[in-house]
Amino acid sequence: MKRSSEVKSYNVVKGFLNLTLTDQVITTLFDEIKRTNNFGLKDLDPLLPSAMIEYSSPNTNKPLHLGHIRNNLLGDSISRIVKASGRNVIQVQIINDRGVHICKSMWAWKKFGDGETPESSGLKGDHLVGKYYVLFDKEYKRQINKSVLNGTEQEEAKKTVPCILEVQKMLLDWESGDKEVVQLWTKMNTWVYSGFEKTYERLGIVFDKNYYESETYILGKKDIRQGLQNGVFYRKPDNSVWIDLSAEGLDEKIILRKDGSSVYMTQDIGTAIQRFKDFEIDSLTYVVGNEQDYHFRVLFLILEKLGYSWARKLSHLSYGMVDLPTGKMKSREGKVVDADDLMDEMELAAKKMSIELGKSQAFSNSESEMLNKALGHGALKYFILKVDPKKRMIFNPEESIDFNGNTGPFLQYTHARISSLINKKGSQVDYDWDQFELTEKERALVILIAKFPKNIQAAATGLNPSIIATYLYELAKGFNSFYQQHSVLNAETASIAAFRVDLCKEVANVLNSGLNILGINAPERM
RNA sequence: GGUUCCGUAGCUCAGCUGGAUAGAGCAUCUGCCUUCUAAGCAGACGGUCGCGCGUUCGAAUCGCGCCGGAAUCACCA
């Protein structure tokens, strides 16, 4: 063992054999890192099939809230992770623009709106429509209470109160193409889309294709018919169509109502099949909350039974809800952390912080504004993404999101310090590995950098951006510890200085790439 | 009731393909800015890893049983 060229020394502690690698192993590793462009990121491989990722999938009756932010950030980040592993990614959302929920907003707008528009009110379109959704709920509750006072049972009242009946009529009118209803529906949806667009833009989120439920809800019926012929499904005496999954440990599930109309599952079957026709993809990942775990288990099983070879390549990135200390967020009751408000607050917090630290004078107004965005959003995104997606999060609006410690701005700060250091360096000399020995911290850093690709791989297969977040934090910690102890530009010799500059560069590269994968900007100065 | 997920320091979280004295951040306390950005670094304090049994040389990690929390088991989406 002593003769091995890779082991410098060893010792034995409590039955553990500890080997210390020779500098040569480390320097070889570092040479390779240096040689590789965009270390850790694979170039797009045109031979690999594309991956489709569905996320966001909002309803068009209310603005986005913190729960949507988690969904969007996970979807966006996992898309970037899969891209970094060399595959083309097609990002899609399905917009739930059809159904009673939007009719509720429409009904309330007709009743109370008095022609209000985003222009006349100065409200962002999605917020305006959301306002009427809340108004509907108030009126609905008022009518239920009134009905109960008149002696109707609560459950009965919920179904028979005038406003809900009118809403249901609206949905039927919409389905039959009633001109006036469709016009209103189009108008209000357009408001919502323009609002969503702004929020997505702020979040830095893009889609390659939008699917609209108003178009996809008719899909699937044809496939059900085929499944009936193949014996995958069966028909009950009342004419409804079912699948029996009891052999798989699940229940029977309805696929078509007795009147032949679709349920959620029907259109999801049809939409999945449609997507594999629309694009040359070999996998499809749904970013949807864990409340739908059961639904996706059933969906994937059905598609497999229908004989689609790609059914095994479907996956569900199931994430936990974001709840408030008081419980679930409820748009209807206005108990939500609004996405736009939260981003405003984060930008403001970043601004306060930089003024407090006396850093704001160094920047022009427009620079400051960009920085506040980068840092505020960085804090928010990292806060969300560092947590294992599976876990339920409780967000307390009273406690602001941190900018110190294990946070986005800490990683951004580390990157900015390195960037400014590199900008200060003079001419660089060549160095030879035999001119100096590596220190403990330097060795540790090289090893940390080298772990980047494996972490990307793990994050991609596990559909888990938090792996990247945790890794970047360790790297930044490792760097700061090194940086505190070692002089870079004024190192003992010019060779050492040159090596350390290179080392810093590689750390900055990985931080930059890694933050990028999380959708976070890495400014050069802050 | 069935199924799935979660339970680690006061709080927020890593660690979970079994391995050394269980790690970070926040909060509290102590040091470090006349040299590369102190949004940083070094340190102190703080833990029956929900409880019990089992498998194993060895369990936060695997299995079983409890307890606590969440979700789901809709002809809602």
Side-chain angles (χ1 to χ4, degrees):
Chain A
M1 182 151 28
K2 275 181 198 161
R3 258 174 266 143
S4 161
S5 61
E6 296 179 351
V7 177
K8 184 164 144 189
S9 65
Y10 67 91
N11 61 25
V12 177
V13 180
K14 292 198 176 175
F16 286 85
L17 174 65
N18 295 315
L19 305 177
T20 305
L21 301 175
T22 56
D23 274 10
Q24 205 209 326
V25 179
I26 308 282
T27 56
T28 308
L29 204 52
F30 188 69
D31 281 335
E32 198 186 314
I33 291 165
K34 243 175 75 177
R35 230 181 297 121
T36 316
N37 283 330
N38 295 319
F39 177 71
L41 310 182
K42 287 193 188 151
D43 290 332
L44 179 67
D45 182 345
L47 296 178
L48 289 176
S50 299
M52 179 176 281
I53 299 179
E54 178 202 287
Y55 61 102
S56 200
S57 307
N59 290 346
T60 58
N61 60 325
K62 56 186 184 222
L64 305 176
H65 58 62
L66 182 52
H68 298 110
I69 291 191
R70 188 176 199 189
N71 180 303
N72 278 291
L73 294 181
L74 284 169
D76 179 59
S77 174
I78 209 71
S79 301
R80 293 168 191 265
I81 288 168
V82 174
K83 277 181 194 165
S85 71
R87 293 181 66 186
N88 182 41
V89 172
I90 296 164
Q91 290 156 273
V92 303
Q93 64 172 333
I94 181 150
I95 299 177
N96 299 306
D97 57 350
R98 180 203 84 99
V100 276
H101 50 85
I102 176 70
C103 288
K104 286 176 179 175
S105 291
M106 285 157 61
W107 183 89
W109 184 84
K110 261 180 88 173
K111 181 100 175 168
F112 310 116
D114 200 20
E116 191 176 34
T117 66
E119 292 75 32
S120 75
S121 63
L123 275 176
K124 206 161 153 275
D126 49 340
H127 285 86
L128 180 69
V129 173
K131 175 178 143 188
Y132 287 99
Y133 185 62
V134 172
L135 278 179
F136 172 85
D137 196 57
K138 270 190 192 159
E139 175 63 16
Y140 184 34
K141 284 195 172 132
R142 195 187 66 80
Q143 292 193 7
I144 290 171
N145 282 338
K146 196 174 143 199
S147 176
V148 168
L149 281 178
N150 288 338
T152 317
E153 287 292 318
Q154 176 89 13
E155 286 309 305
E156 182 66 12
K158 278 187 185 170
K159 285 182 218 155
T160 54
V161 120
C163 68
I164 196 72
L165 293 177
E166 285 167 39
V167 161
Q168 273 157 6
K169 165 113 188 346
M170 249 183 165
L171 182 59
L172 288 176
D173 287 346
W174 178 88
E175 281 187 24
S176 63
D178 180 281
K179 221 176 164 189
E180 197 192 326
V181 172
V182 170
Q183 255 175 17
L184 178 58
W185 174 82
T186 307
K187 175 158 78 180
M188 291 184 75
N189 269 333
T190 307
W191 292 345
V192 170
Y193 298 149
S194 71
F196 282 174
E197 231 164 79
K198 282 182 200 150
T199 307
Y200 287 143
E201 198 192 327
R202 277 183 95 177
L203 275 170
I205 279 168
V206 290
F207 297 95
D208 298 301
K209 180 172 174 65
N210 295 339
Y211 286 88
Y212 294 89
E213 204 207 315
S214 54
E215 292 163 4
T216 61
Y217 85 106
I218 37 172
L219 295 175
K221 291 190 188 180
K222 188 174 75 291
D223 308 293
I224 306 300
R225 231 173 291 137
Q226 216 159 51
L228 265 170
Q229 282 166 13
N230 304 343
V232 176
F233 307 120
Y234 65 93
R235 206 181 275 282
K236 284 199 176 176
D238 71 354
N239 216 31
S240 57
V241 177
W242 295 72
I243 186 165
D244 183 3
L245 296 171
S246 50
E248 281 80 12
L250 304 173
D251 297 322
E252 292 186 328
K253 183 87 189 170
I254 189 159
I255 306 296
L256 272 183
R257 296 191 187 102
K258 61 186 173 198
D259 63 2
S261 62
S262 312
V263 292
Y264 185 34
M265 190 61 77
T266 322
Q267 52 174 298
D268 261 10
I269 293 169
T271 306
I273 294 168
Q274 186 62 42
R275 285 173 174 172
F276 278 86
K277 285 182 191 156
D278 288 349
F279 294 95
E280 283 196 28
I281 50 175
D282 101 316
S283 72
L284 171 54
T285 299
Y286 297 85
V287 181
V288 180
N290 61 13
E291 53 197 355
Q292 293 194 36
D293 285 357
Y294 185 79
H295 172 78
F296 283 105
R297 275 179 71 192
V298 172
L299 175 65
F300 297 169
L301 257 172
I302 291 176
L303 287 165
E304 198 174 329
K305 282 177 181 282
L306 285 174
Y308 291 100
S309 56
W310 40 260
R312 288 159 195 278
K313 304 295 277 295
L314 299 169
S315 56
H316 175 202
L317 197 180
S318 159
Y319 62 91
M321 297 290 102
V322 185
D323 292 331
L324 300 172
T326 50
K328 278 186 94 111
M329 287 196 252
K330 288 182 185 143
S331 297
R332 268 176 304 185
E333 298 168 19
K335 283 202 305 192
V336 283
V337 176
D338 180 78
D340 297 310
D341 292 350
L342 184 57
M343 282 189 276
D344 287 344
E345 280 167 34
M346 293 308 298
E347 288 170 23
L348 190 67
K351 186 177 176 181
K352 277 188 187 155
M353 182 68 97
S354 86
I355 290 172
E356 214 172 276
L357 294 171
K359 300 199 175 190
S360 52
Q361 304 97 315
F363 300 97
S364 71
N365 282 347
S366 65
E367 274 178 320
S368 285
E369 204 178 307
M370 276 172 61
L371 255 182
N372 294 336
K373 271 187 192 163
L375 297 175
H377 295 187
L380 174 61
K381 289 180 176 181
Y382 187 83
F383 175 81
I384 299 277
L385 291 174
K386 77 171 174 187
V387 181
D388 187 325
K390 281 203 301 282
K391 289 198 172 171
R392 172 177 179 235
M393 292 182 84
I394 302 209
F395 179 80
N396 188 348
E398 307 297 315
E399 292 168 18
S400 52
I401 296 175
D402 244 302
F403 285 73
N404 295 317
N406 185 0
T407 65
F410 167 72
L411 301 179
Q412 292 169 311
Y413 176 68
T414 305
H415 176 266
R417 275 169 109 189
I418 300 175
S419 301
S420 93
L421 174 85
I422 290 166
N423 286 336
K424 280 188 183 135
K425 77 160 171 51
S427 59
Q428 189 80 333
V429 300
D430 285 334
Y431 53 90
D432 259 308
W433 289 122
D434 45 15
Q435 289 169 328
F436 54 91
E437 277 192 15
L438 297 179
T439 69
E440 242 358 271
K441 302 272 182 191
E442 288 164 343
R443 298 163 60 92
L445 256 186
V446 173
I447 291 170
L448 264 170
I449 295 168
K451 286 181 178 167
F452 186 43
K454 272 195 176 167
N455 278 284
I456 290 185
Q457 209 45 55
T461 49
L463 299 176
N464 186 356
S466 78
I467 292 173
I468 304 288
T470 304
Y471 164 73
L472 291 178
Y473 179 64
E474 269 171 33
L475 178 66
K477 287 280 287 180
F479 174 79
N480 284 321
S481 181
F482 152 83
Y483 195 52
Q484 194 71 20
Q485 264 188 34
H486 300 72
S487 214
V488 174
L489 300 180
N490 303 315
E492 299 88 307
T493 70
S495 297
I496 296 178
F499 159 65
R500 286 184 184 163
V501 167
D502 278 355
L503 184 61
C504 289
K505 272 188 192 163
E506 294 308 326
V507 172
N509 278 342
V510 171
L511 282 174
N512 187 38
S513 304
L515 284 169
N516 232 293
I517 278 176
L518 300 178
I520 298 173
N521 284 330
E524 303 246 313
R525 298 197 302 148
M526 63 183 269

